[in-house]
Amino acid sequence: MTTIEAQAMKRLLRSLANINPDEIGCDDCFEVVDQFVELELAGKDAEEALPLVKDHLNRCEACREEYRALYRAVKKLSEQDD
C-alpha cells in the first residue's frame, strides 16, 4: 500500500467513525441548501431550523463549497436590489 493509499484509507475510516444515523447525503443537502442560505441572509438561525444541513456542510467539503458559492451569489444579488 502506498503512502497516498494509506492516507486515503485513514480519511475514509475517520469519516465512517463520524457517521450520524440521522445524517443527510449530498442530494438531500443540495435540495434545501438554498433555504439554509435564505434563512442566514434573513438573520435567522439556519442551524437551528436545518441542523442536518449544517451538520452535512461541516462534514462535506464539496457541499460546503456549493453553499459558499450560493451564499455569495444570493448576497450579492440582494445587495444589488437594495
Side-chain angles (χ1 to χ4, degrees):
M1 183 180 295
T2 68
T3 302
I4 293 172
E5 289 171 331
Q7 290 171 346
M9 183 64 72
K10 286 179 186 177
R11 281 193 305 270
L12 176 62
L13 291 173
R14 266 189 252 121
S15 294
L16 290 173
N18 291 324
I19 290 177
N20 176 349
D22 296 327
E23 187 174 304
I24 63 172
C26 295
D27 291 340
D28 293 330
C29 183
F30 185 73
E31 285 183 21
V32 294
V33 74
D34 60 324
Q35 294 171 29
F36 192 87
V37 167
E38 292 290 340
L39 287 168
E40 284 191 323
L41 291 173
K44 299 185 179 169
D45 191 346
E47 184 174 352
E48 183 180 317
L50 298 166
L52 295 178
V53 173
K54 179 63 175 177
D55 181 59
H56 184 81
L57 293 173
N58 287 339
R59 295 173 185 272
C60 179
E61 187 174 339
C63 287
R64 192 167 46 250
E65 288 302 316
E66 289 290 327
Y67 153 78
R68 287 178 182 152
L70 180 61
Y71 183 93
R72 287 189 301 268
V74 173
K75 184 174 181 179
K76 188 169 188 129
L77 286 173
S78 69
E79 289 169 352
Q80 290 175 355
D81 289 341
D82 291 339

